[in-house]
Amino acid sequence: MSKTPELDAWFTAQGWAPLPFQRETWAHLADGRSGLLNAATGTGKTYAIWGGVVNAVLRNPAKATGLKAIWITPLRSLAGEIADSARRMCEGVGLDWRVGLRTGDTSTKERAAQKKAMPQLLVTTPESLHVLLAGKGADKLFAQLDWFVADEWHELLGSKRGVQVELALSRLKAMRPSLGIWGVSATIGNLEEAMAVLLGTDPGPSTRSACLPDRQVDPLGRPGKVARPGPVMVRSSFKKTLEVRSIIPEEVEHYPWAGHLGLRLAHRLLPIIAESTSTLVFTNTRAMAELWYHKLLDLDPGLAGTIALHHGSLDRHVREWVEEALDDGRLKAVVCTSSLDLGVDFRPVETVVQVGSPKGVARFVQRAGRSGHRPDAVSRIWFLPTHALELVEAAALREAAEQGSIEARQPLMRCFDVLAQYLVTLAVGDGFDPATTYREVRGTHCYQDLTPEEWDWLLTFITTGGRSLQAYEEFQKAVRDEDGLIRVHDRRTAMRHRLSIGTIVSDASFAVKYVGGGRIGTVEEWFINQLRPGDVFWFAGRPLEFVRVKELTAFVRRSREQKGKIPSWQGGRMPLSSYMAKVLRAQFTSAGGAVEMVAVQPILERQRETSIVPTEDELLIERFTSREGHHLVVYPFEGRFVHEALASLLAFRMSLLKPITFSIAMNDYGFELLSDQPVPIEEALDNDLFTPQDLLADLQRSLNATEMARRKFRDIASIAGLVFKGMPGRPLKEKHMRANSSLFFDVFRDHEPDHLLFRQAYDEAFDAQLELPRLREALERIQRQRIVLKDPGRFTPFAFPIIVDRLREKLTSEQLEDRIRKMTGRVE
């Protein structure tokens, strides 16, 4: 006899059959275990976890009052889908549970209703969960909580939003020691570490009786303080079929450059869209999404009404309409960004197209899984290169996906800005006991090494502002009361803090609205500042005429012009992942006969005519001169961020041998050092140019570390509450945010250099922006490689795209294309 008759019957009614990993998950939840579920996208992860919760409740029926389960999702757009799926299952099995949503989009009326009576399941985001912790009576709110689910945990891990989840769990576990915790992930390489980060460690017994009533009941109805069985990892043995096809250009040029190929192949997408019932066209940036949507409509005006645009800067109502229209079959295709990377199971999308390299295996597999989003369906993805060498990346992606090799996500450590915000969150709520909370926080992965001295510094920071700011009442946010708890009493401080909860920090944005009413979306402030009345720009897939700015709102009207600027958003370029870099290096010398590698043979053969295609055991350095000067091009194949740091490092070390200056250009494959005098490369190599010794000291001398840290500090200051971002509808202008954070940075640099947030800015500048650990690994790898120095006499196919990227910053699009024609014409 089945142990899950209700679930079996519901699955049968849907025309499905439970998979083995789903049944295994249901059994573990019935036993009260915590753990991590890893299964391919589109195989039914959501119903595996939620079905386990439902089954556990049905097996042990009890009066279900109050909040019983929290489901964390990284995207607001996912919350509605998760809630709908949970409702369908509850109704189908006869479980009388209410399912609610709590995100930044939840109405004031709904929030008020939840305050009176919480639903049994709440689908929410990390930010909204912290807002609940900042409310009065949080102990009572979570007193009946039995289950906590972190959906798409791979998207949160390695980000400050993931740290928010860790901190929230540290408090919830103290309130509910028997809390069942589950992570859900499809694409991640370090599963064991991911589970350990989510579950944390046991912080020890709590002394705060208000959090821990003497008697508790676990989800299985067993009275008393119950210790749960050990955590478990559930891995699906079900392998979805992934079909990768590349769009091969009819002619491959010998000298490729970024952006020269993509739009020229756009017409090849039209039959793919026509033959599919539904297609997602993924781009890597919002600007690319706008450009490709416009291009596809230009090629086939008949697509109007059946193709749509979706990215995070469009108004929520626009995004929701697109999602609903795609779901019910009204749309043939959607051009989108990562805003549609994730989705609930069984959403009907037949085909996926990836425009340009996604720069990571995990992202590629995640997007491919949106096609055939059912266990029995084939996931089909087309790869459209934006330049010819990206075909090598396509071959590497296919091979890695077939082998099931996925990048690891490295969890963050010692994020003092997030912890400072969290402590004020607790103080705004019911207050916190410093000793108890210290033990809880030390139970998280991020703060496992937090010292008592650092903890005391944080308490001083939120109560007095710290050594440098103690004279200013504004920064004395919390006080230690006579009962020993730290609380916030000032209502204005509490209100401003609740409005500022979160770790997503972006450049200031302007709302874009029609003059006659109607919101379209948001565009960053720097772009709007470039416009003059009458200028036309393309946004949300339509031409708009800029009219005026008023109170951080850009008013526009529809335009009939077919040409105009397309907004771009800062930080849009994604770097090559470390694992992707590894498989890419191997692919260049692979003996395999992938169709992509056959297509790029003309490029590789031309490269070999005057230089080499380096093997995994070789580092290629090319040297040549031109009218521009003396070029040195190095090919570590480590990604743009690492190359930026490595180029600056080498330039500094060579300047110690002779006075010399360089201009630097880079892409994901290599970097160029350009000087007006011969580069002393032989002498530098003899002096161990690539040694990892003194790496940090040399980097600090070679880069403007202060300015890098200053840029990082802007975000840190905002998260930690040093800089208030403004009231709803009246955000602080970007230039004021920068000025305020820069002032604090200078004060701490001059008067409090041991300030934890100041130190964190330097740590993030080197570890996050320059990827210092990865840079060190690259230098250690180069130490084991054979360095090959070549003098090709002119630029090679590998060097050409790097040179073009440098020229792109100086020339218009028309000037650049004319310059490229002349350059390639001479060498051809």
Side-chain angles (χ1 to χ4, degrees):
M1 181 177 178
S2 170
K3 295 182 179 180
T4 57
E6 297 89 350
L7 294 180
D8 291 346
W10 185 77
F11 263 69
T12 300
Q14 313 306 310
W16 307 332
L19 295 171
F21 83 88
Q22 292 174 320
R23 291 195 180 279
E24 182 185 352
T25 306
W26 298 345
H28 287 315
L29 268 78
D31 290 338
R33 289 182 178 271
S34 295
L36 180 73
L37 169 61
N38 172 242
T41 299
T43 55
K45 300 184 301 298
T46 303
Y47 290 125
I49 296 293
W50 185 238
V53 173
V54 167
N55 180 60
V57 174
L58 291 175
R59 302 281 72 75
N60 298 276
K63 187 177 181 181
T65 57
L67 182 61
K68 307 291 287 185
I70 289 176
W71 192 291
I72 296 291
T73 173
L75 296 178
R76 295 186 206 177
S77 59
L78 273 180
E81 296 180 18
I82 296 292
D84 289 342
S85 298
R87 288 192 192 98
R88 282 196 296 269
M89 178 173 274
C90 287
E91 292 169 0
V93 302
L95 180 61
D96 187 22
W97 270 26
R98 288 187 300 114
V99 179
L101 287 174
R102 183 67 176 255
T103 70
D105 297 330
T106 303
S107 66
T108 304
K109 180 180 179 181
E110 178 63 21
R111 291 173 192 233
Q114 290 176 0
K115 193 171 183 179
K116 293 180 181 178
M118 288 293 287
Q120 282 81 14
L121 169 64
L122 184 67
V123 183
T124 186
T125 60
E127 295 79 12
S128 293
L129 176 57
H130 276 243
V131 170
L132 291 176
L133 288 171
K136 302 297 182 184
D139 290 354
K140 295 180 180 178
L141 177 66
F142 300 109
Q144 304 299 318
L145 186 67
D146 292 329
W147 302 101
F148 183 99
V149 180
D151 201 2
E152 307 289 357
W153 177 232
H154 59 279
E155 286 293 319
L156 294 169
L157 185 68
S159 72
K160 291 184 178 180
R161 300 182 77 210
V163 176
Q164 282 186 290
V165 174
E166 290 186 62
L167 287 170
L169 274 171
S170 73
R171 175 48 54 111
L172 295 176
K173 287 190 296 184
M175 296 177 184
R176 299 287 291 169
S178 61
L179 181 67
I181 304 167
W182 278 85
V184 185
S185 177
T187 50
I188 193 167
N190 50 333
L191 288 170
E192 296 292 344
E193 184 178 31
M195 183 170 71
V197 172
L198 179 64
L199 301 183
T201 59
D202 185 4
S206 173
T207 59
R208 188 179 177 203
S209 59
C211 288
L212 293 176
D214 289 336
R215 183 178 181 83
Q216 292 188 5
V217 178
D218 80 343
L220 303 184
R222 298 171 298 204
K225 292 184 178 179
V226 180
R228 281 183 173 269
V232 63
M233 177 79 67
V234 178
R235 290 185 175 93
S236 168
S237 59
F238 185 88
K239 300 297 182 183
K240 283 206 66 172
T241 302
L242 177 61
E243 187 178 288
V244 182
R245 299 181 185 178
S246 292
I247 297 176
I248 308 295
E250 288 88 357
E251 180 183 359
V252 174
E253 299 176 0
H254 290 128
Y255 295 91
W257 49 279
H260 81 289
L261 190 58
L263 291 175
R264 284 168 45 191
L265 297 175
H267 67 281
R268 302 273 294 274
L269 290 188
L270 297 179
I272 295 174
I273 293 172
E275 293 167 8
S276 301
T277 57
S278 55
T279 302
L280 292 180
V281 180
F282 279 106
T283 65
N284 290 336
T285 66
R286 287 167 280 186
M288 280 184 67
E290 294 274 352
L291 185 64
W292 275 82
Y293 176 78
H294 184 35
K295 182 66 175 180
L296 290 172
L297 282 179
D298 272 353
L299 291 172
D300 184 1
L303 287 174
T306 65
I307 186 173
L309 181 66
H310 190 290
H311 60 70
S313 290
L314 299 179
D315 184 66
R316 172 173 61 92
H317 299 293
V318 174
R319 298 196 308 269
E320 289 177 350
W321 180 89
V322 171
E323 292 161 15
E324 292 171 3
L326 180 66
D327 202 29
D328 60 25
R330 283 176 285 161
L331 289 175
K332 286 277 292 178
V334 175
V335 182
C336 57
T337 62
S338 56
S339 57
L340 284 182
D341 269 6
L342 311 175
V344 76
D345 300 316
F346 310 117
R347 191 180 187 126
V349 176
E350 183 178 348
T351 303
V352 167
V353 176
Q354 171 65 47
V355 176
S357 169
K359 303 302 180 184
V361 181
R363 188 178 294 113
F364 184 71
V365 172
Q366 180 78 41
R367 291 177 174 180
R370 299 294 285 115
S371 161
H373 209 66
R374 300 187 311 275
D376 58 340
V378 175
S379 292
R380 294 185 178 89
I381 184 166
W382 289 84
F383 183 94
L384 189 149
T386 58
H387 68 90
L389 283 177
E390 282 189 337
L391 288 170
V392 183
E393 297 185 47
L397 285 165
R398 178 193 288 108
E399 183 175 323
E402 289 174 352
Q403 294 174 355
S405 301
I406 304 294
E407 295 97 345
R409 296 286 182 100
Q410 298 304 320
L412 299 183
M413 297 290 292
R414 299 169 62 77
C415 300
F416 296 113
D417 53 345
V418 184
L419 183 52
Q421 182 187 104
Y422 171 70
L423 293 180
V424 178
T425 294
L426 296 183
V428 167
D430 296 321
F432 68 92
D433 174 68
T436 302
T437 305
Y438 178 58
R439 287 195 295 272
E440 294 171 7
V441 169
R442 281 286 303 273
T444 66
H445 181 276
C446 186
Y447 304 105
Q448 58 185 304
D449 298 325
L450 185 70
T451 67
E453 293 75 20
E454 290 167 339
W455 179 252
D456 290 339
W457 185 95
L458 285 160
L459 296 179
T460 302
F461 174 72
I462 68 170
T463 54
T464 71
R467 189 165 75 239
S468 300
L469 302 176
Q470 58 187 341
Y472 302 93
E473 186 176 336
E474 176 184 356
F475 303 105
Q476 299 169 13
K477 297 182 178 181
V479 297
R480 190 189 295 261
D481 288 334
E482 293 182 359
D483 59 2
L485 299 187
I486 293 180
R487 297 184 177 92
V488 170
H489 293 291
D490 183 70
R491 294 183 62 184
R492 180 172 178 269
T493 299
M495 177 190 67
R496 289 176 59 157
H497 178 77
R498 289 192 181 100
L499 292 172
S500 302
I501 287 177
T503 61
I504 300 175
V505 181
S506 60
D507 288 338
S509 297
F510 277 61
V512 181
K513 293 183 178 180
Y514 287 118
V515 173
R519 192 174 187 273
I520 307 170
T522 58
V523 172
E524 289 183 0
E525 178 182 349
W526 71 269
F527 178 80
I528 295 297
N529 288 340
Q530 296 180 9
L531 301 178
R532 296 180 180 179
D535 284 353
V536 174
F537 66 100
W538 277 81
F539 179 57
R542 64 200 75 171
L544 303 172
E545 179 187 339
F546 175 64
V547 178
R548 65 178 182 274
V549 165
K550 183 179 180 182
E551 295 180 350
L552 294 181
T553 299
F555 288 96
V556 299
R557 61 170 62 98
R558 291 294 294 264
S559 172
R560 294 184 179 180
E561 294 286 338
Q562 292 304 304
K563 290 187 177 181
K565 298 179 181 179
I566 291 180
S568 62
W569 286 261
Q570 300 292 343
R573 266 184 163 168
M574 293 181 292
L576 202 67
S577 72
S578 58
Y579 181 74
M580 186 66 193
K582 179 181 177 181
V583 296
L584 182 62
R585 288 193 296 270
Q587 195 66 44
F588 270 106
T589 53
S590 171
V595 62
E596 296 88 357
M597 297 307 298
V598 172
V600 299
Q601 282 307 307
I603 298 175
L604 302 184
E605 289 170 3
R606 180 60 60 92
Q607 174 71 20
R608 293 187 184 102
E609 287 179 8
T610 55
S611 183
I612 66 167
V613 175
T615 67
E616 291 183 83
D617 299 325
E618 295 174 328
L619 174 71
L620 172 63
I621 301 177
E622 293 175 346
R623 174 179 54 187
F624 56 91
T625 58
S626 72
R627 287 180 296 180
E628 293 182 298
H630 299 266
H631 305 256
L632 189 77
V633 189
V634 187
Y635 303 97
F637 293 94
E638 275 291 352
R640 179 178 299 274
F641 288 174
V642 173
H643 292 164
E644 178 184 6
L646 187 53
S648 298
L649 178 70
L650 300 193
F652 166 73
R653 288 177 172 176
M654 284 190 282
S655 72
L656 299 178
L657 301 176
K658 63 179 282 189
I660 186 171
T661 58
F662 296 97
S663 64
I664 296 173
M666 80 289 295
N667 65 9
D668 282 320
Y669 302 160
F671 59 87
E672 175 201 45
L673 297 175
L674 174 63
S675 180
D676 60 356
Q677 54 184 302
V679 180
I681 182 61
E682 287 96 341
E683 185 181 358
L685 291 173
D686 290 340
N687 283 272
D688 208 1
L689 177 63
F690 291 97
T691 178
Q693 291 183 1
D694 302 318
L695 174 58
L696 184 58
D698 286 354
L699 271 180
Q700 290 174 333
R701 296 167 68 187
S702 65
L703 295 162
N704 192 340
T706 299
E707 284 308 308
M708 291 172 55
R710 189 188 299 275
R711 289 195 295 269
K712 287 292 181 182
F713 187 78
R714 170 193 172 276
D715 294 349
I716 291 170
S718 176
I719 293 170
L722 277 174
V723 176
F724 181 55
K725 291 176 284 191
M727 303 295 289
R730 291 178 292 160
L732 202 64
K733 284 194 173 183
E734 175 67 17
K735 62 181 180 181
H736 295 151
M737 285 275 291
R738 280 199 299 266
N740 291 348
S741 63
S742 185
L743 177 62
F744 285 122
F745 184 89
D746 291 338
V747 168
F748 299 147
R749 181 192 59 194
D750 297 337
H751 302 287
E752 197 177 348
D754 58 345
H755 195 285
L756 290 186
L757 301 181
F758 178 75
R759 285 165 45 193
Q760 182 183 338
Y762 277 90
D763 291 341
E764 288 192 10
F766 283 104
D767 290 347
Q769 183 171 337
L770 297 179
E771 298 192 81
L772 183 61
R774 185 172 163 188
L775 174 59
R776 187 180 298 278
E777 291 176 5
L779 288 172
E780 291 170 351
R781 174 177 58 81
I782 292 172
Q783 292 278 296
R784 300 187 299 270
Q785 290 179 314
R786 184 172 71 92
I787 295 177
V788 181
L789 178 61
K790 286 288 185 179
D791 292 279
R794 62 175 186 262
F795 60 79
T796 63
F798 281 10
F800 189 66
I802 303 175
I803 295 171
V804 170
D805 272 4
R806 170 168 51 79
L807 296 176
R808 195 190 305 272
E809 299 177 1
K810 305 174 183 178
L811 305 175
T812 65
S813 297
E814 292 79 8
Q815 291 172 332
L816 179 65
E817 292 189 17
D818 183 58
R819 180 74 175 271
I820 289 170
R821 278 193 296 270
K822 292 178 180 177
M823 292 172 67
T824 55
R826 283 197 299 268
V827 296
E828 291 284 8

